[in-house]
Amino acid sequence: MVVKLQRPILVGGLGLSFSLWMLQSWHDSIVQVGEFGLLSALAVGGGLWLFQQNRPKDSLEQLDGMLVDRATGESAISIAEAVINQLAQEAENHLALETLREQVAQLLLELDRQEIKVAVTGGKSVGKSTLIQVLQNVETRNLVSLQETAPLFREVSDNSDAAILAEVGKSDFVLFLTNGDLTDSEFQTLQQLKAANQPTILVFNKQDQYLTDESASIFSQLKQRMQGNVVATAASPIAIKVRKHEADGSVQEWMEQPAPAIQQLTQQLDQVLAQQGQRLVWLTTIRKAGLLKAEAKNWLNGTRRDRATPIIEQYQWIAAAAAFANPVPALDILATAAINAQMVMDLGNIYQQKFSLEQAQTVAGTMGSLMLKLGLVELSTKAISTVLKSNAVTFVAGGVVQGVSAAYLTRVAGLSLVEYFQQQEIAIDSGTGLNLENLRQTLQKVFGQNQQIGFLQGFVKQGMKRLLPEVQQVELVTTQKAVG
């Protein structure tokens, strides 16, 4: 196998002096790396993320602790548009671009929307339809649109609840109905809405179906669990029997339908919409812009991953060749770390993370150190040796173990960097240095994903084909049959 080394880092890195330097670098502290990406620069001064860090307990009071105005909404749209423009720059003919740009244009119109969209949601048979009918007949709400969702918490195996909540997220305000004390599923869903900065009122409907003391107890428990934002209603009260005694001694009986008991809800809803209506629209626009940015970023990450994958594969086999040619146990991981430095620079260029030579060497050394501390080097070598032994190769060509191990660790390092870069750009919180804890977790996650026996067997076969000449492989098979 012939491998051309045209990069200065690779040529120097495979030498003993660079390997010894890399070993020393693992004991040094991590240095600051370059600025992380386009999105960090755009987010500075935008203020979008201030409101995400401040989550008051009361969802109706959330807006008071958030930076929610038209400028914040415009900033959120600009950030989403910047990601879309980056996608257009890196993949100008991407199929999603037209739709993404249409959504940006729609968001700009959303900033001036006057109609308030209220989602009415909850489980099955909690009275959503009836409540909407009653609310539509009360007073005049020309600028309010009430939208019922499909029932949550159905016993189905699909992701229907997630889809319903995604639709709820497009509304400005949520009325979440329950007809008793909260189930765990209801509570968790309310927490999700709160975490997404979705202003919500919890509606205890059908309260009239309980005895007075029971109803009061349930209402108190709901207020305690939700820290307020709970109203009790009876959108369709149970009919009551009326008995009238006539002068002649006869008795007349009939069923009478009480008026809906929704005054507390209408008062609170009117107050919120009157005082916070415009800010609710802006908050929804900000939330939609964040979702649009995430969608565009997913497309961008997919494009970048398509470019990163062949680079990782290129360096994994370069590392394999280096370790196979010098099968010294103490040097195979060092050669891998040296090669990883150039891979760091190449992957950084794809993900808009500009590293200097020194920074790339530090990142590569840090990843090598983490792999050693986490025991990934030993684990991978044992796993690969086990697979190779089943092919009767290790005792015939011992360098294959180090070669395939070096390739495998380089692959894990490359995939971990890709996932780390993606996480940092989406979060826009990377600052100017590596987050070692996040990197450690990412390494462990990626290593676990690539430990399946089926993958290892296929990877070992690829390594054997690249490291051993075809004639030698045939001889090995013949020897194995003869020994058998």
Side-chain angles (χ1 to χ4, degrees):
M1 173 181 177
V2 178
V3 180
K4 296 183 179 180
L5 303 181
Q6 300 177 345
R7 308 258 184 172
I9 293 180
L10 299 185
V11 175
L14 296 180
L16 177 61
S17 61
F18 186 87
S19 296
L20 294 175
W21 173 89
M22 185 60 65
L23 179 63
Q24 179 62 38
S25 74
W26 288 343
H27 296 86
D28 296 335
S29 61
I30 186 71
V31 300
Q32 299 295 315
V33 296
E35 294 190 4
F36 276 77
L38 169 69
L39 298 181
S40 297
L42 288 173
V44 172
L48 169 62
W49 303 101
L50 292 179
F51 76 87
Q52 290 187 337
Q53 304 304 320
N54 191 353
R55 304 186 189 277
K57 292 183 178 180
D58 192 317
S59 66
L60 284 179
E61 296 175 355
Q62 284 183 152
L63 290 173
D64 295 333
M66 299 176 188
L67 180 58
V68 180
D69 53 23
R70 185 183 180 88
T72 308
E74 291 174 345
S75 175
I77 296 173
S78 295
I79 291 175
E81 189 172 21
V83 180
I84 295 171
N85 291 337
Q86 187 67 30
L87 175 62
Q89 180 178 335
E90 297 185 23
E92 59 180 341
N93 296 320
H94 199 285
L95 295 176
L97 282 172
E98 183 178 356
T99 301
L100 293 173
R101 284 171 170 156
E102 289 175 355
Q103 293 182 63
V104 168
Q106 184 61 41
L107 283 178
L108 292 170
L109 297 176
E110 283 271 306
L111 289 171
D112 297 317
R113 174 167 53 84
Q114 297 299 310
E115 182 184 59
I116 307 298
K117 298 177 180 179
V118 178
V120 181
T121 191
K124 186 178 180 181
S125 301
V126 292
K128 297 185 292 295
S129 300
T130 303
L131 181 62
I132 289 177
Q133 291 173 4
V134 173
L135 287 174
Q136 288 173 337
N137 293 328
V138 175
E139 301 178 1
T140 56
R141 289 188 170 81
N142 296 327
L143 297 179
V144 175
S145 171
L146 296 165
Q147 303 168 336
E148 179 183 358
T149 73
L152 292 166
F153 319 123
R154 292 174 295 176
E155 295 182 0
V156 292
S157 59
D158 58 15
N159 295 320
S160 58
D161 281 3
I164 293 171
L165 290 178
E167 288 301 312
V168 169
K170 298 177 182 178
S171 63
D172 305 311
F173 201 83
V174 179
L175 300 180
F176 189 99
L177 272 63
T178 184
N179 57 3
D181 197 8
L182 293 178
T183 65
D184 183 65
S185 296
E186 289 176 323
F187 180 75
Q188 294 302 326
T189 300
L190 284 165
Q191 292 302 104
Q192 291 178 44
L193 293 173
K194 184 177 179 180
N197 293 317
Q198 182 80 63
T200 304
I201 291 178
L202 175 59
V203 180
F204 171 31
N205 195 29
K206 301 186 179 182
Q207 62 163 333
D208 60 309
Q209 296 184 2
Y210 296 86
L211 296 176
T212 302
D213 290 345
E214 292 178 329
S215 176
S217 176
I218 293 173
F219 185 69
S220 177
Q221 292 174 14
L222 292 174
K223 288 182 67 67
Q224 183 177 1
R225 294 189 72 180
M226 301 308 299
Q227 292 86 39
N229 291 342
V230 182
V231 297
T233 63
S236 180
I238 298 175
I240 59 175
K241 180 182 290 187
V242 178
R243 178 178 297 170
K244 182 179 180 180
H245 294 269
E246 301 291 351
D248 60 2
S250 63
V251 178
Q252 295 184 12
E253 293 183 346
W254 67 92
M255 300 302 293
E256 190 170 289
Q257 182 69 43
I262 61 168
Q263 294 84 356
Q264 185 182 6
L265 172 61
T266 56
Q267 289 174 4
Q268 193 166 153
L269 187 59
D270 284 344
Q271 181 180 359
V272 170
L273 298 182
Q275 296 178 357
Q276 305 282 11
Q278 185 60 72
R279 299 184 77 214
L280 288 172
V281 171
W282 288 332
L283 180 59
T284 300
T285 304
I286 293 170
R287 192 164 51 245
K288 288 182 178 180
L291 294 173
L292 179 59
K293 186 204 74 173
E295 180 184 356
K297 193 64 174 60
N298 284 337
W299 288 115
L300 180 59
N301 282 338
T303 298
R304 289 173 169 178
R305 183 177 284 272
D306 289 342
R307 293 164 53 199
T309 299
I311 290 176
I312 295 172
E313 292 176 350
Q314 175 189 5
Y315 283 110
Q316 73 187 26
W317 300 126
I318 291 176
F324 179 67
N326 300 280
V328 181
L331 291 181
D332 58 353
I333 185 61
L334 297 177
T336 301
I339 292 169
N340 283 352
Q342 183 64 59
M343 183 175 65
V344 167
M345 295 189 71
D346 288 355
L347 293 178
N349 287 335
I350 291 176
Y351 285 88
Q352 304 296 306
Q353 313 292 329
K354 303 298 181 181
F355 294 100
S356 66
L357 171 59
E358 182 180 1
Q359 290 169 341
Q361 292 170 342
T362 301
V363 172
T366 299
M367 295 193 72
S369 177
L370 284 173
M371 286 183 175
L372 287 171
K373 291 177 180 178
L374 292 170
L376 305 188
V377 177
E378 181 179 359
L379 287 173
S380 64
T381 301
K382 287 182 178 179
I384 289 171
S385 296
T386 300
V387 174
L388 283 169
K389 286 178 180 178
S390 66
N391 291 278
V393 171
T394 51
F395 60 88
V396 180
V400 174
V401 176
Q402 282 119 327
V404 176
S405 295
Y408 177 79
L409 292 172
T410 298
R411 179 181 180 82
V412 169
L415 294 177
S416 298
L417 279 172
V418 165
E419 183 154 338
Y420 178 84
F421 287 154
Q422 291 178 171
Q423 293 172 350
Q424 294 305 107
E425 288 188 339
I426 291 176
I428 318 181
D429 62 357
S430 58
T432 57
L434 286 177
N435 185 317
L436 293 184
E437 178 59 22
N438 286 352
L439 188 58
R440 182 189 67 80
Q441 294 176 0
T442 303
L443 275 170
Q444 287 181 308
K445 175 183 175 181
V446 173
F447 182 81
Q449 291 171 343
N450 289 270
Q451 273 287 288
Q452 293 86 352
I453 187 64
F455 171 80
L456 285 175
Q457 289 175 338
F459 192 82
V460 167
K461 289 180 180 179
Q462 290 184 57
M464 290 172 58
K465 290 180 180 179
R466 288 178 174 270
L467 297 176
L468 300 177
E470 185 175 349
V471 173
Q472 186 176 356
Q473 290 189 48
V474 172
E475 292 175 351
L476 287 174
V477 173
T478 303
T479 301
Q480 183 179 7
K481 291 181 178 179
V483 172

